[in-house]
Amino acid sequence: MNAGTSEAAAPGSAAGGVRRAGAAPDGVSRTGLPGQADAGSDRVSDGVRRTGAVVAGALGAIGVLHAVWMRTPWPLGSPAEFADTVVGVGVERLPTPAMCAEVAVALGAASYLVGARAGVLPAVGPRLLRTAGAGAVSGVLLARGVGGLLLFGPAGPGRRIARTERFLRLDRRYYSPLCLALGTGAALVAARGA
């Protein structure tokens, strides 16, 4: 720039500031697309955030339902109906309130780990813990989904875990597919979250 001229230097130019080699202007990634995060960035895409919000919300809601089940078979009418529909066993084999509490706490923790990794909940602690935690949540949900489809069945040869017909029908139609969907969403968040 000549002395006496009033030209302003462009941001990032040699006169206006230093830009590291290969860096893109503010608001543009190295891919050239505005708003798209670069690899290794802490930014989370909208799709990952939405997926994380849905998975974390569903896990939280299911956790609350397990906490309710410590006291009542709601929304079902009786413990026998609850045992048949939700657990697939006779009423004498229903989980204890303490077991329901343990599952509720685990689902709450799972909800937090996925939500924090997705950037929809405040992140506390090391990133590695959130990443590993969301990955573990994914693994457990995928194992439950596949395991439900392969292992649950009517009493008899070839099935390891006997369940009632009503539970089996609901598990094939709703419970296992829900676990597979939530597990897949948690895997996406674990892989691409912040």
Side-chain angles (χ1 to χ4, degrees), residues 59-183:
L59 292 172
I62 296 166
V64 167
L65 197 52
H66 279 77
V68 168
W69 290 340
M70 292 169 47
R71 293 296 207 190
T72 176
W74 181 88
L76 300 165
S78 70
E81 186 181 10
F82 177 82
D84 184 33
T85 304
V86 176
V87 189
V89 297
V91 75
E92 69 283 350
R93 292 185 49 212
L94 272 176
T96 65
M99 291 174 176
C100 290
E102 291 167 0
V103 173
V105 168
L107 286 165
S111 174
Y112 170 75
L113 289 167
V114 172
R117 178 76 178 147
V120 296
L121 293 173
V124 176
R127 177 186 296 180
L128 179 61
L129 179 63
R130 293 187 306 276
T131 303
V137 168
S138 172
V140 168
L141 288 167
L142 291 171
R144 165 55 182 91
V146 170
L149 294 172
L150 296 178
L151 297 177
F152 292 154
R159 297 291 183 165
R160 295 177 182 236
I161 303 171
R163 293 292 186 245
T164 64
E165 281 303 316
R166 183 175 188 186
F167 175 85
L168 291 174
R169 186 177 66 254
L170 292 168
D171 186 66
R172 282 188 218 109
R173 192 172 294 159
Y174 301 111
Y175 307 156
S176 285
L178 177 62
C179 288
L180 292 171
L182 293 174

Side-chain angles (χ1 to χ4, degrees), residues 41-44 48 116-119 123 127 130-131 189-194:
S41 171
D42 280 346
R43 294 181 58 193
V44 177
V48 172
R117 178 76 178 147
R127 177 186 296 180
R130 293 187 306 276
T131 303
V189 170
R192 299 205 176 158

